[in-house]
Amino acid sequence: MDNIYKPDLMEVIDTRQHTADVKSVKARFLHPAKAREFDFRVGQFGIFSAFGYGESAFNICSSSNWRDFIEFCFRKTGRVTEALWEIDSGDLIGFRGPYGNSYPMERWEGKHLIFLGGGIAMPPIRCAIWYALENRDRYGEITVVYGARKVADLVYVDELEEWAKHPRVRVVRTVDPGGETPDWKGQIGFVPHAFEQAGVQAANSVALVIGPPIMIRNTMPVLDRMGIAPGDIYTSLENRMKCGVGKCGRCNCGPVYVCKEGPVFTMEQMRGLPADY
């Protein structure tokens, strides 16, 4: 019987520092057979290992259409992420996955897509944006509103500019008041306000909202006033996950194991979870 906790080996092919404490890593499977058979859906996550230090769960933030590597992005916050921060091209890491459910990209076909993110929440949104752009004729208007505390906290800023060049795509960048720089050309204000000011039409739209709890909480009334039903609003929960396979119970939330039933939930589903999650 296979050991479900045994990771596959991956070789790091590139690392990129986005902010003072946020980095992304591209890695490919060391064994060609594993690379050929591997597949995942956008929105799923993996367990990434820094050998000798431990493992952590991160969203696979690359598009599922990209076959040569997978990418993950993390903030340096503790033992494992500090070890991952030091890795470089040619180093080996471990990977288990993919785990969890995914964004229902097929169900979203024919609809307008609204992506709302704050801070480090851009990576788990990024995979869905790229997938939609690579299948552009399947979706309607695409709106991306992304904010952070200050300009230096924004990640994948070059890709934001690239996305804005696609047809029927609108990208709004914003930073909290006081977080702007003299050359800042984006908006100043919190994500919910920037989104409301954008004047996006709600008809036939779905929204993916990921960010700090306060951002999500303040965004929900805006979406409600627009008339977007809770069943058409999605989010992704990655916090508290550890084993990834429903064994440790760390991500248990009432009757739900986030790593098994999630991490993607609609806001309608979230209303059935304990309020402290």
Side-chain angles (χ1 to χ4, degrees):
M1 182 177 179
D2 292 337
N3 184 345
I4 61 174
Y5 301 108
K6 182 180 179 181
D8 290 295
L9 292 177
M10 300 197 81
E11 178 187 8
V12 175
I13 60 174
D14 190 33
T15 65
R16 178 183 177 187
Q17 184 172 340
H18 296 269
T19 73
D21 60 356
V22 174
K23 208 170 194 177
S24 60
V25 175
K26 292 181 181 179
R28 62 187 172 204
F29 289 101
L30 191 62
H31 301 293
K34 179 63 181 180
R36 287 193 299 270
E37 71 182 29
F38 181 75
D39 194 21
F40 73 98
R41 302 182 305 277
V42 287
Q44 290 189 292
F45 69 96
I47 307 292
F48 295 86
S49 307
F51 294 117
Y53 295 90
E55 58 182 15
S56 290
F58 303 109
N59 167 266
I60 302 173
C61 66
S62 45
S63 168
S64 58
N65 293 321
W66 304 348
R67 306 301 302 176
D68 296 334
F69 63 88
I70 62 174
E71 187 171 349
F72 67 99
C73 188
F74 63 93
R75 171 170 283 143
K76 183 169 58 172
T77 58
R79 175 183 171 90
V80 177
T81 51
E82 287 175 358
L84 289 171
W85 188 269
E86 299 302 323
I87 63 175
D88 205 345
S89 298
D91 291 339
L92 295 182
I93 60 174
F95 172 81
R96 294 193 289 114
Y99 295 133
N101 63 358
S102 61
Y103 304 133
M105 302 302 298
E106 294 81 7
R107 194 182 312 159
W108 294 355
E109 291 181 7
K111 296 182 179 294
H112 304 305
L113 305 182
I114 300 170
F115 298 105
L116 306 174
I120 191 62
M122 178 46 67
I125 295 176
R126 171 186 185 246
C127 57
I129 294 174
W130 273 121
Y131 182 92
L133 292 177
E134 291 159 352
N135 297 278
R136 191 66 192 88
D137 59 335
R138 302 181 188 177
Y139 305 98
E141 304 290 327
I142 295 177
T143 302
V144 180
V145 180
Y146 172 48
R149 289 185 178 179
K150 57 184 184 295
V151 174
D153 291 335
L154 295 166
V155 301
Y156 292 110
V157 290
D158 56 332
E159 296 189 11
L160 294 172
E161 296 176 1
E162 184 176 348
W163 297 339
K165 297 176 183 177
H166 284 74
R168 297 179 295 133
V169 176
R170 182 178 183 186
V171 176
V172 177
R173 300 176 303 156
T174 187
V175 294
D176 292 357
E180 69 275 15
T181 56
D183 61 344
W184 174 244
K185 294 181 174 60
Q187 295 196 28
I188 299 173
F190 302 112
V191 169
H193 177 73
F195 173 55
E196 193 163 30
Q197 292 297 307
V200 178
Q201 298 300 311
N204 195 36
S205 295
V206 296
L208 176 59
V209 186
I210 305 178
I214 189 170
M215 187 212 91
I216 296 176
R217 186 162 57 248
N218 291 333
T219 301
M220 290 306 298
V222 178
L223 294 169
D224 184 60
R225 287 195 295 272
M226 291 175 62
I228 300 181
D232 289 325
I233 304 171
Y234 296 78
T235 193
S236 181
L237 303 176
E238 293 182 37
N239 56 333
R240 302 190 188 181
M241 291 194 293
K242 185 172 179 64
C243 74
V245 292
K247 301 295 185 182
C248 72
R250 183 175 177 179
C251 70
N252 177 246
C253 182
V256 169
Y257 281 82
V258 173
C259 69
K260 300 287 284 185
E261 284 88 351
V264 179
F265 296 93
T266 66
M267 288 303 174
E268 187 175 45
Q269 292 171 316
M270 290 286 292
R271 289 177 176 177
L273 301 181
D276 62 342
Y277 197 74

